[in-house]
Amino acid sequence: MKKAIFIITVIISNALIAQQLTQTIRGTVVDQLTQQELPGATVTIISNDPIMGTTTDIEGRFRLEDVPIGRQTVRISFIGYKNFTVPNIIVNAHKEIVLTIELEEEAIEMEELVITDKKASNEVNNELVSISARGFDSEETSRYAGSFDDPSRMVANYAGVSGANDSRNDIIVRGNSPLGVLWRLDGIDIPNPNHFSTQGANGGPVSILNNNLLSKSDFLTGAFPAEYGNRSAAVFDIKMRHGNDEKFEFTTQMGFNGLELMTEGPIHRKSRSSFVASYRYSTLVLFDLMGIDLGLPAVPIYEDLSFKLHLPTKKFGNFALIGIGGVSGITIIDSERKRSEDGKDLATEAEEGFDVSAGSKTGVLGLTNKHIFSKSTYGKYSFAISGSEFSVNQDSVGYDANNNITGKFQNFDDGSNKSTINSEYILNHKINTKHFVKSGIKYSDLGYRLFEIFRSDTISDSKGSAGLIQSFAHWQWKINGLMTANFGIHHQSFLLNNKHAIEPRLGLKWSLTEKSIINLGVGLHNQMHPLEVYLRETEINGQTKLTNKDLEFTRAIHFVAGYNYAFNADWIFKSEAYCQQMDRIPVEGTALTSYSIFNEGTSYNGIPHIDSLVSDGQAHTYGIELTLERVFSKGYYMMANGSIFRSEYAGSDKIWRRTAFDQSFIVNLLAGAEFDIGKNKKRVLVTDIKGTYAAGRKYTPMEVYYTPDTIARVRYLTDDAYTIKYKDYARFDVKVGFRENYKHLTLTWYITVQNVFNTNNILTRVFNPMSGKIENAYQLGRLPIGGFKIEF
C-alpha cells in the first residue's frame, strides 16, 4: 500500500513538474573597464531550489536552460573580481533573458581579497561615477505608479528631482532649470526626445524613448565625470539593448504612450548579429476613429519609431546602428467649430478666437563601432545625425455679435529647425588593476534655421551653422580595496563666438566598512545656451545685429558629499548634501530687471525674445537629500525620500530672489508588492502606490489694468518676481496590474489612477479675458489610464 502511494505521489509530482513553465537565461560576462570576455566565470541562480549554475565558455558566454518562471536572482563570480548580483529578474514564458554582465576587478592583492557583492539594482553602469547617480532598467520605468513607462517621470520619484507639470515630463533637478539636462543615447548626445517639444524646452507630454528597448542606464544629478559636458543640471545616460540573436520575439502593447508593435531577432545567427525595432501610434487617434468622444477640443496625433541593429565582426569590431524618430501635431480650428449662442462651448477660453496648429519632429540616426585593440585597450567611434523641427501657426479670428466670422489674419508663425552632426572618438586603457585612463574628443556641427513672424513683423529669419568642440581626459586610481579616486578634465570651445572653458573634475569613494561608504564630488561644469538665444536678431540704426552672440557659457561649480549605509542586502540608506554656485547667466543688459534665463525651460512658449543680454547673472542652489529604500525582494519594495533645498538667483538688478524652481522641500513615498496566484507562479497580481507632498513653487504676481478704451489687460509685477508661493502640492497615485504566463505567451494588463483624490494642485495663474480676472489654472485632476501588453 505504501509503495502504491509512493508511486502515485511520484506520478503526480512529475505531472506538476511537466506543467512548470520555464525559460532560458543566457548572456556574456566581461571586464567592466576593458570589455574583455571573461571565460570561466561562475554563474548561479541563487533564488532557485535547488541552485542552478554554469560557467562561461571561452567567449565569456553562459546559458542556463529550464529556469522556472517568476522572479529570479543571478550571481556571477570570478577570481580577482567582485561578485555581482542581478536581483529579481522577471522571467516570463515568452522571452529569453539575455544579460551582459560587467565585472569590476579587485584592486588588492589576492591574499587580501575579501569577497563582496555588488548588487545591480541601483548600481550605475559607469564605474567612473563617484557620487549623485543611480542606475535603472526597463522594468523600473514601468514599475512605479504614475511613471507611464517614461524615464523622465520615473526619476521624478528620486530624491532631489521633481516634475514641473503633471501633463509634461520636464524634470527639475536640485532647483535647476530643465534646460540643464543632458540626454545621451548609447553615448551619443541627442535633442529633446519628446513629442510636442518646443524651442527652449527639454521635455514634453509624451516620450519618444521606448522603455521596451532600454538596457541598464544611468541618471546623474551632480558632479559628473569629465566625459559629460555642456550641461550643468543632470545627465540621462540611456542605453539601448541588443535584440535577441537566436530567435524571433514579438510584443504588442497599448497604453499611455500609444499602440505599439515591436519585433526582434537574429539577422545572421552565426555572426550573432541582431535587430530590435518598435513602432508606436497615438492611442487617442484610434479612440477617435472608433467614434469615442474624448471631450477634447482637438485630438493630438503622434507616432514614433525606434530601432537598433547590432553587427559584430571578427576583424573590425562591433558595429551598431541606432535610430529614434517621432512626429507629433495638433490642430485646433476655432473658426470651423459650432458655437453656442453664449460662446461657452469651447474646452478652454484661451483658444477662443484663434486657429492654431502646432507640431514637432525629432530624429536621431547614429552609427557606433567598438574595437578591442588588446586585453587592456579598446576604442569607440560614434557618428550621428540628429535634428528637431518646431512649427506653430496661429491665426486670429474675429467674430461679430452673432458669432459670425468677420475676418482672419496671421498672428504668429514659427517654422524653426535645428540639426546636429556629431563625430566622437573615445579611447579606454587599463594600465593595471589600480589605474585606468579614458579620453575622448568630439566635434558637433550645429545647424539651424530660425524663422518667426509675429503679426507680419519678422522676428527672426536666419540660417547657418556653428561648431562645438569638446574633449576630456579621465584617470581612475583605485588606491586600495577601499578607496577609489577619479580625476578628470573637460574642455569645450564654441566656435560661433570663440568662447572656451576648461573644467577640472574630482570624485572620491571610500568604503569605511563593508556596509558604509563616503562619497565626495567637486567639479566645474559649463553650458552653452539654446542656439536661438545667441542668434536673436536686433535692428540697430538700420542694421541687423546679433546682440546676444558674445554671451559666455553659464558656469556652475558643484560640491557634493554623501554617506551610504546598507543595513543588509535589501535595505539601503543614502544621504547627500550639495551646493552649486552658478554665474555668467544671461540677464537683461539694457535695464536693471529681475529677468534671468535661469528661470526658463518649462514653458510651451519657449524662451522670450529678449536681445542685448549680458552674462552678469548669478544663482545658487543648496540642499540635503535623504533616501531609505528597500530594493525589490521577497515580493515587495519600498522607497521613502525627502529633499530640503533652496534655489536662488540674481538678475541684472543684483537683487537675490527665489527661482521659478524653488520648492523648499519634497517628500516621496513609494511601495509595491507582487502576489503569486495559483501554482507555479503563472499568475501574478501587481500593486503599486505613490504619494508626493511638496511645497508650492514661487511665482511672479500679476495685476489687471485697463486701456483708455476700457479693455482689460494684465501685466507682471516683475519687481516682485517669485515672491509669492502657490499652495503646497499633493498627489497620490495607484497602480494595479496582472501578469499571466502561458506556454509561449505572456499577457500583462494594468490600470493606473493618477491623482486618486482629485487634488486641485495649481499649475499657474492666468488672465481670463472673458471675466477680466486673474484665475488659477490647475494641474491634471484624477486621471485613470489603462493598458495591456502581449509578448510572444
Side-chain angles (χ1 to χ4, degrees), residues 241 243 248-251 261-265 275-279:
R241 65 178 180 86
F248 293 95
E249 296 173 334
F250 306 91
T251 299
L261 299 174
M262 187 181 82
T263 181
E264 61 182 293
F275 76 93
V276 58
S278 171
Y279 172 77

Side-chain angles (χ1 to χ4, degrees), residues 46-78:
I46 60 176
S47 54
N48 194 61
D49 188 14
I51 292 176
M52 305 174 67
T54 186
T55 57
T56 56
D57 62 18
I58 192 65
E59 295 181 333
R61 300 182 182 277
F62 67 90
R63 174 184 290 270
L64 289 163
E65 297 181 342
D66 299 322
V67 178
I69 64 170
R71 294 270 184 175
Q72 299 288 2
T73 295
V74 178
R75 176 177 291 167
I76 303 91
S77 59
F78 190 59

